[in-house]
mmCIF file of all heavy atoms in Angstrom:
data_model
loop_
_atom_site.group_PDB
_atom_site.id
_atom_site.type_symbol
_atom_site.label_atom_id
_atom_site.label_comp_id
_atom_site.label_asym_id
_atom_site.label_seq_id
_atom_site.Cartn_x
_atom_site.Cartn_y
_atom_site.Cartn_z
ATOM 1 N N LYS A 4 0.798 -1.213 0.029
ATOM 2 C CA LYS A 4 0.004 0.075 -0.028
ATOM 3 C C LYS A 4 0.895 1.286 -0.058
ATOM 4 O O LYS A 4 2.012 1.214 0.437
ATOM 5 C CB LYS A 4 -0.936 -0.036 1.227
ATOM 6 C CG LYS A 4 -1.870 -1.148 1.273
ATOM 7 C CD LYS A 4 -2.763 -1.154 2.512
ATOM 8 C CE LYS A 4 -3.802 -2.353 2.477
ATOM 9 N NZ LYS A 4 -4.750 -2.245 3.592
ATOM 10 N N SER A 5 0.339 2.354 -0.531
ATOM 11 C CA SER A 5 1.027 3.606 -0.566
ATOM 12 C C SER A 5 0.026 4.722 -0.395
ATOM 13 O O SER A 5 -1.019 4.726 -0.968
ATOM 14 C CB SER A 5 1.785 3.750 -1.842
ATOM 15 O OG SER A 5 2.323 4.993 -1.931
ATOM 16 N N LEU A 6 0.402 5.776 0.424
ATOM 17 C CA LEU A 6 -0.468 6.972 0.632
ATOM 18 C C LEU A 6 0.572 8.112 0.939
ATOM 19 O O LEU A 6 1.333 8.035 1.835
ATOM 20 C CB LEU A 6 -1.400 6.702 1.855
ATOM 21 C CG LEU A 6 -2.139 7.940 2.177
ATOM 22 C CD1 LEU A 6 -3.101 8.374 1.055
ATOM 23 C CD2 LEU A 6 -3.023 7.724 3.419
ATOM 24 N N PHE A 7 0.492 9.119 0.168
ATOM 25 C CA PHE A 7 1.243 10.375 0.363
ATOM 26 C C PHE A 7 0.359 11.431 1.020
ATOM 27 O O PHE A 7 -0.782 11.647 0.694
ATOM 28 C CB PHE A 7 1.794 10.903 -0.948
ATOM 29 C CG PHE A 7 2.897 10.036 -1.584
ATOM 30 C CD1 PHE A 7 2.566 9.044 -2.420
ATOM 31 C CD2 PHE A 7 4.164 10.287 -1.153
ATOM 32 C CE1 PHE A 7 3.642 8.259 -3.058
ATOM 33 C CE2 PHE A 7 5.170 9.523 -1.750
ATOM 34 C CZ PHE A 7 4.965 8.539 -2.578
ATOM 35 N N MET A 8 0.939 12.213 1.838
ATOM 36 C CA MET A 8 0.229 13.316 2.578
ATOM 37 C C MET A 8 1.211 14.566 2.312
ATOM 38 O O MET A 8 2.307 14.539 2.771
ATOM 39 C CB MET A 8 0.051 13.089 4.045
ATOM 40 C CG MET A 8 -0.892 11.901 4.258
ATOM 41 S SD MET A 8 -1.350 11.643 6.099
ATOM 42 C CE MET A 8 0.327 11.057 6.647
ATOM 43 N N ILE A 9 0.659 15.641 1.701
ATOM 44 C CA ILE A 9 1.455 16.693 1.291
ATOM 45 C C ILE A 9 1.399 17.870 2.378
ATOM 46 O O ILE A 9 0.275 18.077 2.855
ATOM 47 C CB ILE A 9 0.985 17.331 -0.036
ATOM 48 C CG1 ILE A 9 0.908 16.257 -1.082
ATOM 49 C CG2 ILE A 9 1.877 18.367 -0.533
ATOM 50 C CD1 ILE A 9 2.177 15.499 -1.422
ATOM 51 N N ASP A 10 2.528 18.391 2.786
ATOM 52 C CA ASP A 10 2.509 19.473 3.722
ATOM 53 C C ASP A 10 1.787 20.743 3.129
ATOM 54 O O ASP A 10 2.079 21.131 2.019
ATOM 55 C CB ASP A 10 4.017 19.922 4.010
ATOM 56 C CG ASP A 10 4.671 18.850 4.932
ATOM 57 O OD1 ASP A 10 3.947 18.064 5.551
ATOM 58 O OD2 ASP A 10 5.858 18.863 4.938
ATOM 59 N N GLN A 11 0.887 21.242 3.898
ATOM 60 C CA GLN A 11 0.222 22.450 3.454
ATOM 61 C C GLN A 11 1.036 23.754 3.486
ATOM 62 O O GLN A 11 0.758 24.760 2.741
ATOM 63 C CB GLN A 11 -1.125 22.676 4.226
ATOM 64 C CG GLN A 11 -2.067 21.530 4.222
ATOM 65 C CD GLN A 11 -2.508 21.322 2.797
ATOM 66 O OE1 GLN A 11 -2.825 22.173 2.154
ATOM 67 N NE2 GLN A 11 -2.525 20.042 2.380
ATOM 68 N N ALA A 12 2.175 23.699 4.282
ATOM 69 C CA ALA A 12 3.039 24.792 4.393
ATOM 70 C C ALA A 12 3.713 25.221 3.112
ATOM 71 O O ALA A 12 3.972 26.419 2.810
ATOM 72 C CB ALA A 12 4.045 24.581 5.521
ATOM 73 N N ASN A 13 4.005 24.303 2.333
ATOM 74 C CA ASN A 13 4.572 24.590 0.957
ATOM 75 C C ASN A 13 3.777 24.042 -0.160
ATOM 76 O O ASN A 13 3.785 22.831 -0.578
ATOM 77 C CB ASN A 13 6.091 23.975 0.870
ATOM 78 C CG ASN A 13 6.142 22.501 1.235
ATOM 79 O OD1 ASN A 13 5.086 21.890 1.419
ATOM 80 N ND2 ASN A 13 7.364 21.988 1.308
ATOM 81 N N ALA A 14 2.851 24.912 -0.587
ATOM 82 C CA ALA A 14 1.730 24.499 -1.556
ATOM 83 C C ALA A 14 2.333 23.952 -2.843
ATOM 84 O O ALA A 14 3.475 24.318 -3.258
ATOM 85 C CB ALA A 14 0.818 25.601 -1.741
ATOM 86 N N VAL A 15 1.686 23.081 -3.514
ATOM 87 C CA VAL A 15 2.099 22.541 -4.820
ATOM 88 C C VAL A 15 2.088 23.642 -5.865
ATOM 89 O O VAL A 15 1.126 24.470 -5.895
ATOM 90 C CB VAL A 15 1.150 21.389 -5.217
ATOM 91 C CG1 VAL A 15 1.514 20.899 -6.672
ATOM 92 C CG2 VAL A 15 1.196 20.275 -4.318
ATOM 93 N N PRO A 16 3.155 23.854 -6.546
ATOM 94 C CA PRO A 16 3.213 24.956 -7.652
ATOM 95 C C PRO A 16 1.942 24.885 -8.609
ATOM 96 O O PRO A 16 1.574 23.781 -8.999
ATOM 97 C CB PRO A 16 4.576 24.664 -8.305
ATOM 98 C CG PRO A 16 5.355 23.945 -7.245
ATOM 99 C CD PRO A 16 4.372 23.098 -6.578
ATOM 100 N N GLU A 17 1.632 26.022 -9.014
ATOM 101 C CA GLU A 17 0.469 26.117 -9.962
ATOM 102 C C GLU A 17 0.969 25.412 -11.238
ATOM 103 O O GLU A 17 2.130 25.596 -11.798
ATOM 104 C CB GLU A 17 0.144 27.465 -10.254
ATOM 105 C CG GLU A 17 -1.070 27.659 -11.166
ATOM 106 C CD GLU A 17 -1.458 29.177 -11.480
ATOM 107 O OE1 GLU A 17 -0.809 30.039 -10.844
ATOM 108 O OE2 GLU A 17 -2.344 29.421 -12.160
ATOM 109 N N GLY A 18 0.061 24.595 -11.838
ATOM 110 C CA GLY A 18 0.327 23.871 -13.041
ATOM 111 C C GLY A 18 0.908 22.499 -12.868
ATOM 112 O O GLY A 18 1.025 21.763 -13.768
ATOM 113 N N MET A 19 1.276 22.112 -11.540
ATOM 114 C CA MET A 19 1.875 20.841 -11.405
ATOM 115 C C MET A 19 0.733 19.891 -10.958
ATOM 116 O O MET A 19 -0.034 20.045 -10.040
ATOM 117 C CB MET A 19 2.892 20.876 -10.237
ATOM 118 C CG MET A 19 3.608 19.519 -10.006
ATOM 119 S SD MET A 19 4.772 19.594 -8.579
ATOM 120 C CE MET A 19 5.913 20.660 -9.190
ATOM 121 N N VAL A 20 0.680 18.692 -11.654
ATOM 122 C CA VAL A 20 -0.227 17.666 -11.322
ATOM 123 C C VAL A 20 0.560 16.536 -10.646
ATOM 124 O O VAL A 20 1.105 15.700 -11.400
ATOM 125 C CB VAL A 20 -1.096 17.209 -12.610
ATOM 126 C CG1 VAL A 20 -2.156 16.215 -12.267
ATOM 127 C CG2 VAL A 20 -1.649 18.365 -13.251
ATOM 128 N N LEU A 21 0.408 16.474 -9.326
ATOM 129 C CA LEU A 21 1.292 15.447 -8.621
ATOM 130 C C LEU A 21 1.001 14.029 -9.105
ATOM 131 O O LEU A 21 1.941 13.203 -9.176
ATOM 132 C CB LEU A 21 1.084 15.636 -7.221
ATOM 133 C CG LEU A 21 1.726 16.816 -6.598
ATOM 134 C CD1 LEU A 21 1.468 16.918 -5.011
ATOM 135 C CD2 LEU A 21 3.223 16.843 -6.821
ATOM 136 N N ASP A 22 -0.281 13.598 -9.271
ATOM 137 C CA ASP A 22 -0.518 12.242 -9.474
ATOM 138 C C ASP A 22 -0.035 11.719 -10.924
ATOM 139 O O ASP A 22 -0.192 10.616 -11.293
ATOM 140 C CB ASP A 22 -1.978 11.881 -9.362
ATOM 141 C CG ASP A 22 -2.918 12.604 -10.269
ATOM 142 O OD1 ASP A 22 -2.527 13.345 -11.248
ATOM 143 O OD2 ASP A 22 -4.141 12.507 -10.076
ATOM 144 N N THR A 23 0.518 12.657 -11.756
ATOM 145 C CA THR A 23 1.185 12.208 -13.025
ATOM 146 C C THR A 23 2.628 11.707 -12.762
ATOM 147 O O THR A 23 3.152 11.098 -13.654
ATOM 148 C CB THR A 23 1.188 13.284 -14.045
ATOM 149 O OG1 THR A 23 1.937 14.310 -13.528
ATOM 150 C CG2 THR A 23 -0.249 13.842 -14.307
ATOM 151 N N PHE A 24 3.189 11.966 -11.592
ATOM 152 C CA PHE A 24 4.387 11.462 -11.340
ATOM 153 C C PHE A 24 4.416 10.063 -10.679
ATOM 154 O O PHE A 24 3.810 9.941 -9.642
ATOM 155 C CB PHE A 24 5.225 12.422 -10.312
ATOM 156 C CG PHE A 24 5.399 13.825 -10.933
ATOM 157 C CD1 PHE A 24 4.491 14.753 -10.838
ATOM 158 C CD2 PHE A 24 6.548 14.024 -11.728
ATOM 159 C CE1 PHE A 24 4.731 16.048 -11.393
ATOM 160 C CE2 PHE A 24 6.754 15.264 -12.307
ATOM 161 C CZ PHE A 24 5.800 16.250 -12.173
ATOM 162 N N LYS A 25 5.178 9.174 -11.296
ATOM 163 C CA LYS A 25 5.068 7.759 -10.688
ATOM 164 C C LYS A 25 6.498 7.511 -10.111
ATOM 165 O O LYS A 25 7.500 7.660 -10.824
ATOM 166 C CB LYS A 25 4.906 6.753 -11.766
ATOM 167 C CG LYS A 25 3.729 6.872 -12.670
ATOM 168 C CD LYS A 25 2.447 6.870 -11.809
ATOM 169 C CE LYS A 25 1.108 6.822 -12.624
ATOM 170 N NZ LYS A 25 0.895 8.032 -13.406
ATOM 171 N N ILE A 26 6.527 7.132 -8.847
ATOM 172 C CA ILE A 26 7.826 7.067 -8.136
ATOM 173 C C ILE A 26 7.848 5.738 -7.287
ATOM 174 O O ILE A 26 6.875 5.207 -7.040
ATOM 175 C CB ILE A 26 7.961 8.243 -7.126
ATOM 176 C CG1 ILE A 26 6.925 8.237 -6.090
ATOM 177 C CG2 ILE A 26 8.006 9.573 -7.877
ATOM 178 C CD1 ILE A 26 7.119 9.412 -5.096
ATOM 179 N N ARG A 27 9.096 5.364 -6.994
ATOM 180 C CA ARG A 27 9.423 4.192 -6.215
ATOM 181 C C ARG A 27 9.290 4.654 -4.724
ATOM 182 O O ARG A 27 9.605 5.793 -4.338
ATOM 183 C CB ARG A 27 10.765 3.660 -6.561
ATOM 184 C CG ARG A 27 10.780 3.023 -7.910
ATOM 185 C CD ARG A 27 12.309 2.742 -8.249
ATOM 186 N NE ARG A 27 12.751 1.623 -7.441
ATOM 187 C CZ ARG A 27 14.002 1.181 -7.532
ATOM 188 N NH1 ARG A 27 14.862 1.766 -8.241
ATOM 189 N NH2 ARG A 27 14.285 0.092 -6.807
ATOM 190 N N VAL A 28 8.873 3.677 -3.870
ATOM 191 C CA VAL A 28 8.765 3.973 -2.416
ATOM 192 C C VAL A 28 9.528 2.932 -1.575
ATOM 193 O O VAL A 28 10.063 1.902 -2.149
ATOM 194 C CB VAL A 28 7.254 3.969 -2.030
ATOM 195 C CG1 VAL A 28 6.451 4.970 -2.793
ATOM 196 C CG2 VAL A 28 6.732 2.457 -2.337
ATOM 197 N N PRO A 29 9.844 3.169 -0.298
ATOM 198 C CA PRO A 29 10.628 2.270 0.520
ATOM 199 C C PRO A 29 10.030 0.915 0.533
ATOM 200 O O PRO A 29 8.911 0.655 0.476
ATOM 201 C CB PRO A 29 10.633 2.959 1.841
ATOM 202 C CG PRO A 29 10.419 4.461 1.611
ATOM 203 C CD PRO A 29 9.553 4.477 0.401
ATOM 204 N N ALA A 30 11.050 -0.041 0.582
ATOM 205 C CA ALA A 30 10.705 -1.502 0.612
ATOM 206 C C ALA A 30 11.229 -2.131 1.995
ATOM 207 O O ALA A 30 10.697 -3.038 2.482
ATOM 208 C CB ALA A 30 11.134 -2.274 -0.570
ATOM 209 N N ASN A 31 12.385 -1.512 2.358
ATOM 210 C CA ASN A 31 12.987 -1.946 3.574
ATOM 211 C C ASN A 31 13.697 -0.721 4.335
ATOM 212 O O ASN A 31 14.040 0.237 3.546
ATOM 213 C CB ASN A 31 14.175 -3.020 3.293
ATOM 214 C CG ASN A 31 13.610 -4.372 3.167
ATOM 215 O OD1 ASN A 31 13.062 -5.024 4.002
ATOM 216 N ND2 ASN A 31 13.746 -4.899 1.885
ATOM 217 N N TRP A 32 13.718 -0.787 5.525
ATOM 218 C CA TRP A 32 14.271 0.310 6.332
ATOM 219 C C TRP A 32 15.052 -0.272 7.632
ATOM 220 O O TRP A 32 14.344 -0.921 8.353
ATOM 221 C CB TRP A 32 13.189 1.381 6.796
ATOM 222 C CG TRP A 32 13.621 2.672 7.247
ATOM 223 C CD1 TRP A 32 14.413 2.989 8.275
ATOM 224 C CD2 TRP A 32 13.352 3.822 6.520
ATOM 225 N NE1 TRP A 32 14.603 4.304 8.273
ATOM 226 C CE2 TRP A 32 14.013 4.918 7.243
ATOM 227 C CE3 TRP A 32 12.822 4.163 5.328
ATOM 228 C CZ2 TRP A 32 13.977 6.199 6.862
ATOM 229 C CZ3 TRP A 32 12.666 5.477 4.918
ATOM 230 C CH2 TRP A 32 13.347 6.552 5.661
ATOM 231 N N ASP A 33 16.262 -0.030 7.859
ATOM 232 C CA ASP A 33 17.046 -0.591 8.996
ATOM 233 C C ASP A 33 17.128 0.490 10.039
ATOM 234 O O ASP A 33 16.742 1.641 9.926
ATOM 235 C CB ASP A 33 18.375 -1.099 8.492
ATOM 236 C CG ASP A 33 19.412 -0.031 8.141
ATOM 237 O OD1 ASP A 33 19.122 1.261 8.397
ATOM 238 O OD2 ASP A 33 20.400 -0.398 7.539
ATOM 239 N N LYS A 34 17.778 0.053 11.174
ATOM 240 C CA LYS A 34 17.917 0.853 12.338
ATOM 241 C C LYS A 34 18.826 2.055 12.148
ATOM 242 O O LYS A 34 18.848 3.032 12.893
ATOM 243 C CB LYS A 34 18.447 0.062 13.485
ATOM 244 C CG LYS A 34 19.879 -0.585 13.296
ATOM 245 C CD LYS A 34 20.193 -1.435 14.525
ATOM 246 C CE LYS A 34 21.484 -2.079 14.250
ATOM 247 N NZ LYS A 34 22.003 -2.929 15.351
ATOM 248 N N ASN A 35 19.669 1.989 11.117
ATOM 249 C CA ASN A 35 20.504 3.183 10.808
ATOM 250 C C ASN A 35 19.890 4.136 9.781
ATOM 251 O O ASN A 35 20.628 5.013 9.250
ATOM 252 C CB ASN A 35 21.930 2.661 10.221
ATOM 253 C CG ASN A 35 22.636 1.795 11.301
ATOM 254 O OD1 ASN A 35 22.701 2.195 12.450
ATOM 255 N ND2 ASN A 35 23.129 0.617 10.995
ATOM 256 N N ASN A 36 18.645 3.993 9.543
ATOM 257 C CA ASN A 36 17.859 4.697 8.558
ATOM 258 C C ASN A 36 18.409 4.668 7.127
ATOM 259 O O ASN A 36 18.236 5.594 6.299
ATOM 260 C CB ASN A 36 17.801 6.180 8.960
ATOM 261 C CG ASN A 36 16.969 6.423 10.155
ATOM 262 O OD1 ASN A 36 15.944 5.666 10.421
ATOM 263 N ND2 ASN A 36 17.317 7.458 11.061
ATOM 264 N N ASN A 37 18.971 3.459 6.831
ATOM 265 C CA ASN A 37 19.294 3.149 5.462
ATOM 266 C C ASN A 37 17.975 2.373 4.841
ATOM 267 O O ASN A 37 17.355 1.683 5.621
ATOM 268 C CB ASN A 37 20.570 2.274 5.383
ATOM 269 C CG ASN A 37 21.712 3.000 5.899
ATOM 270 O OD1 ASN A 37 21.928 4.119 5.730
ATOM 271 N ND2 ASN A 37 22.616 2.154 6.496
ATOM 272 N N TYR A 38 17.756 2.598 3.607
ATOM 273 C CA TYR A 38 16.618 1.984 3.090
ATOM 274 C C TYR A 38 16.804 1.500 1.652
ATOM 275 O O TYR A 38 17.689 2.047 0.938
ATOM 276 C CB TYR A 38 15.349 2.884 3.122
ATOM 277 C CG TYR A 38 15.575 4.214 2.354
ATOM 278 C CD1 TYR A 38 15.160 4.340 1.163
ATOM 279 C CD2 TYR A 38 16.075 5.317 3.247
ATOM 280 C CE1 TYR A 38 15.312 5.603 0.543
ATOM 281 C CE2 TYR A 38 16.081 6.534 2.557
ATOM 282 C CZ TYR A 38 15.766 6.675 1.252
ATOM 283 O OH TYR A 38 15.865 7.888 0.579
ATOM 284 N N THR A 39 16.109 0.538 1.121
ATOM 285 C CA THR A 39 15.939 0.116 -0.199
ATOM 286 C C THR A 39 14.649 0.588 -0.829
ATOM 287 O O THR A 39 13.588 0.745 0.000
ATOM 288 C CB THR A 39 16.242 -1.309 -0.332
ATOM 289 O OG1 THR A 39 15.301 -2.023 0.351
ATOM 290 C CG2 THR A 39 17.675 -1.706 0.145
ATOM 291 N N LEU A 40 14.525 0.533 -2.081
ATOM 292 C CA LEU A 40 13.328 0.974 -2.755
ATOM 293 C C LEU A 40 12.592 -0.226 -3.398
ATOM 294 O O LEU A 40 13.228 -1.157 -3.853
ATOM 295 C CB LEU A 40 13.591 2.094 -3.853
ATOM 296 C CG LEU A 40 14.127 3.364 -3.278
ATOM 297 C CD1 LEU A 40 14.393 4.342 -4.463
ATOM 298 C CD2 LEU A 40 13.146 3.982 -2.258
ATOM 299 N N SER A 41 11.321 -0.057 -3.414
ATOM 300 C CA SER A 41 10.452 -1.150 -3.990
ATOM 301 C C SER A 41 10.542 -1.009 -5.525
ATOM 302 O O SER A 41 10.757 0.100 -6.127
ATOM 303 C CB SER A 41 9.058 -1.040 -3.667
ATOM 304 O OG SER A 41 8.164 -1.746 -4.495
ATOM 305 N N PRO A 42 10.562 -2.167 -6.344
ATOM 306 C CA PRO A 42 10.526 -1.995 -7.812
ATOM 307 C C PRO A 42 9.140 -1.453 -8.340
ATOM 308 O O PRO A 42 9.030 -1.052 -9.382
ATOM 309 C CB PRO A 42 10.741 -3.407 -8.263
ATOM 310 C CG PRO A 42 10.238 -4.316 -7.075
ATOM 311 C CD PRO A 42 10.696 -3.555 -5.853
ATOM 312 N N ASP A 43 8.188 -1.506 -7.452
ATOM 313 C CA ASP A 43 6.871 -1.057 -7.861
ATOM 314 C C ASP A 43 6.874 0.523 -7.773
ATOM 315 O O ASP A 43 7.472 1.121 -6.871
ATOM 316 C CB ASP A 43 5.782 -1.522 -6.879
ATOM 317 C CG ASP A 43 5.703 -3.092 -6.792
ATOM 318 O OD1 ASP A 43 5.651 -3.632 -7.960
ATOM 319 O OD2 ASP A 43 5.655 -3.615 -5.745
#
């Protein structure tokens, strides 16, 4: 599952449609805050 929450303090620039950007998200996260990304 994936859910993004955008900070209201820095509004999305006019003309930018966020859901057109497809990005990788974390798949693993260790105690040193190193992480790997999902292929999805």
Side-chain angles (χ1 to χ4, degrees):
K4 299 180 179 181
S5 174
L6 174 65
F7 289 93
M8 296 181 293
I9 309 301
D10 287 339
Q11 298 301 313
N13 49 11
V15 177
E17 184 178 358
M19 181 185 295
V20 184
L21 285 181
D22 61 9
T23 61
F24 295 92
K25 307 297 190 298
I26 64 175
R27 296 171 67 187
V28 297
N31 280 294
W32 199 290
D33 69 15
K34 61 182 180 181
N35 297 317
N36 289 329
N37 299 322
Y38 58 89
T39 59
L40 295 178
S41 166
D43 301 311

